[in-house]
Structures are given as C-alpha cells and as structure tokens.
C-alpha cells in the first residue's frame, strides 16, 4: 500500500509539482498524492493537481465563521480520504485546531531559509530573502520540518544550503533556493516515511 499524501498550498505549487513528479520516480515511489487543498481560488497548485489527475479542493477560509472551523473542515476532508501524511507547500495560513492533534507528527512544512533562523510570522516569500540579505548572511537555504503549533517551528528533518552571492537580490536568491527546495522536499518526505510511517 502506498503512503497517501495530501498537499496544502496557497500559490504557484512548484513544490507540489516536485512532489508529484517524485512519486512517479525512484525518489518517492512508495507514496502517492491523493488530495490537494488550497485556501485561494486562483492558486495554480489547484491546476497542477487537476493536470496530474489528483483531486483538487478550494476551501475558502472566508466562508467559515472561525479559523478553527475552517481547519476542522480540512481535517475532515483529510480523514475521509485516509490521508497518512500532510505536506504544507507554500501554504501561508497558520494551522489551528484539530488538525494539529489529529495529524500530530504527520504534518511537514518547507521553508525557504535555514531554520531556526528567518522563520516565524511574516516570514514568507520575498520577506525571508530580504531579511537574509539585510542581515548580511553568507549562506541561506531551505528546511523541511515537522509542524507544530507555531509558524516554521518544530523538529528539522533536512536542510540544503546555498551560498549568498554579493550581487544577489531577493529574487535571485529565492530562485536559487527554490531549485533546492524541489530536491529537498521529496527527499525529506521519503526519509520521513521510511523512518516513521513504514
Ligand atoms: C516556497 O519557497 C516555500 O518554501 C515558501 O513558499 C514558497 C512556495 O512556492 N513557504 C514559506 O515561506 C512558508 N513559511 P511554491 O508554491 O512554488 O511551492
């Protein structure tokens, strides 16, 4: 039986794509993506899922009275499909409520920095890379970690590093790191499954 993965995304979904691609290669052949959920209607991640024949759900946080009930709904959708592992891939809402308990130790996230540095509230997308450049860091990278109740927090599974170049802009740094993310996430998921879910 393959490990059933669900991916939560808010935007482009290039990490989702890397995971989907890896499931049909050696890297992640022990898993399949069964569901993609986005909190934004225009998220290209939904389109990527449809193209790959994967069920794609747009769930609008604005149509729920509380964040708690929103995540309750997401948790129900995950449980209805017997999802084993939930991967956040550019999902920009802070998780709340039952998902944290019911998927405890079965939730992973990717972040475009070397955590524990440059994570937390407001640290997403170009904000992360701007902060790294402003701090004069010599290296940056990406991290995959197990999710807990705090933003970009929880045990780190794997990281990949890149050099920060003198001529870097937030965009060039982001692009270089994103390429590494696409290698890191499938590898980290594979490792996690082998260690804890098999
Ligand atoms: C990625 O760089 C991911 O690490 C980042 O959002 C981007 C999503 O790209 N996540 C965070 O900043 C989380 N704090 P994608 O939609 O193309 O995968």
């Amino acid at each position: 039986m393959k490990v059933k993965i669900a991916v939560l995304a808010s935007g482009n979904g290039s990490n989702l794509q890397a995971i989907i691609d890896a499931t049909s290669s050696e890297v992640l052949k022990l898993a399949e993506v069964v569901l993609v959920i986005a909190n934004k209607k225009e998220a290209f991640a939904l389109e990527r899922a449809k193209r790959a024949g994967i069920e794609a759900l747009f769930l609008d946080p604005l149509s729920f009275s509380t964040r708690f009930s929103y995540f309750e709904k997401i948790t129900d959708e995950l449980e209805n499909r017997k999802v084993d592992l939930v991967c956040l891939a550019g999902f920009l809402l802070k998780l709340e409520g039952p998902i944290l308990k019911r998927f405890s130790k079965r939730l992973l996230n990717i972040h475009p920095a070397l955590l524990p540095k440059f994570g937390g509230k407001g640290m997403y997308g170009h904000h992360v890379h701007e902060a790294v450049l402003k701090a004069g860091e010599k290296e940056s990278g990406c991290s995959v970690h197990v999710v807990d109740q705090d933003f970009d927090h929880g045990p780190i599974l794997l990281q990949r590093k890149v050099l920060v170049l003198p001529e870097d802009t937030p965009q060039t740094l982001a692009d270089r790191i994103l390429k590494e993310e696409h290698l890191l996430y499938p590898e980290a998921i594979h490792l996690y499954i082998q260690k804890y879910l098999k």
Side-chain angles (χ1 to χ4, degrees):
M1 273 275 275
K2 290 198 176 191
V3 171
K4 288 184 174 31
I5 294 177
V7 177
L8 271 51
S10 301
N12 181 22
S14 69
N15 276 292
L16 162 68
Q17 191 66 56
I19 296 168
I20 294 172
D21 294 347
T23 58
S24 48
S25 80
E26 276 302 306
V27 187
L28 211 51
K29 64 176 185 195
L30 72 185
E32 59 181 333
V33 180
V34 296
L35 177 66
V36 172
I37 300 177
N39 63 317
K40 294 214 166 128
K41 199 175 183 179
E42 67 281 7
F44 189 61
L46 293 170
E47 185 56 36
R48 291 182 191 270
K50 284 180 206 151
R51 287 181 192 174
I54 295 164
E55 187 184 4
L57 279 183
F58 160 57
L59 292 176
D60 187 356
L62 297 176
S63 51
F64 292 79
S65 55
T66 60
R67 264 308 148 78
F68 190 96
S69 56
Y70 179 64
F71 280 107
E72 215 163 38
K73 170 72 173 165
I74 290 185
T75 311
D76 289 344
E77 299 292 354
L78 298 169
E79 287 185 336
N80 287 343
R81 290 159 186 84
K82 302 202 173 354
V83 164
D84 300 301
L85 181 68
V86 182
C87 297
L88 310 184
F91 185 70
L92 300 180
L93 296 180
K94 187 165 181 277
L95 301 189
E96 277 182 29
I99 191 168
L100 288 166
K101 262 209 180 129
R102 279 157 48 193
F103 283 88
S104 167
K105 300 198 174 65
R106 293 189 292 143
L107 274 164
L108 303 181
N109 181 40
I110 189 158
H111 184 74
L114 296 175
L115 292 173
K117 283 175 150 184
F118 305 105
K121 200 168 191 294
M123 278 293 173
Y124 61 89
H126 63 98
H127 300 290
V128 179
H129 309 294
E130 277 163 14
V132 168
L133 292 176
K134 205 171 165 202
E137 295 289 315
K138 297 277 176 285
E139 59 179 20
S140 188
C142 44
S143 311
V144 171
H145 66 96
V146 184
V147 173
D148 64 13
Q149 69 286 350
D150 294 320
F151 259 123
D152 304 323
H153 196 260
I156 294 165
L157 267 180
L158 270 186
Q159 295 182 313
R160 286 179 82 96
K161 290 182 180 174
V162 305
L163 288 178
V164 176
L165 305 175
E167 65 272 24
D168 263 330
T169 63
Q171 191 58 52
T172 59
L173 186 55
D175 292 345
R176 193 166 339 106
I177 291 174
L178 194 60
K179 285 197 188 120
E180 298 299 319
E181 291 185 47
H182 297 159
L183 300 173
L184 180 72
Y185 214 172
E187 195 189 334
I189 294 169
H190 176 88
L191 182 86
Y192 197 71
I193 290 174
Q194 294 281 36
K195 259 186 144 172
Y196 301 109
L197 298 183
K198 278 274 166 197

